[in-house]
Amino acid sequence: MTTNQKEYLEKINDIQEKLAKTWTEYWHHYSTPGSWQFWVIVGAFILPLVILYFLIDRKKAFHLGFYGFNVHV
């Protein structure tokens, strides 16, 4: 491997380390359970499931689940 190639690989490695550190900092600022954005996303996930639990027709639940499974597959 040439010295020029080693320099480029070291440069790429440094950039990747900086990017990983930046993503970690972003997560700590905006995606931790202490932020309001985190709870909005959790609520957007949980609230429809709770509503569905109370409003679903229990007699047709198996058919709806099977239909959803087939669409997913």
Side-chain angles (χ1 to χ4, degrees), residues 56-70:
I56 195 166
D57 183 8
R58 304 249 193 287
K59 294 178 183 176
K60 295 185 179 182
F62 179 74
H63 291 113
L64 292 170
F66 187 68
Y67 174 76
F69 175 74
N70 281 327

Side-chain angles (χ1 to χ4, degrees), residues 17-59:
E17 288 177 5
K18 289 177 185 177
L19 182 62
K21 183 178 179 183
T22 305
W23 274 113
T24 304
E25 289 176 10
Y26 174 82
W27 187 87
H28 283 294
H29 285 281
Y30 299 107
S31 298
T32 59
S35 67
W36 65 270
Q37 294 98 333
F38 176 84
W39 292 110
V40 168
I41 292 173
V42 169
F45 179 71
I46 299 293
L47 189 61
L49 294 175
V50 171
I51 292 170
L52 180 67
Y53 178 77
F54 289 112
L55 297 179
I56 195 166
D57 183 8
R58 304 249 193 287
K59 294 178 183 176

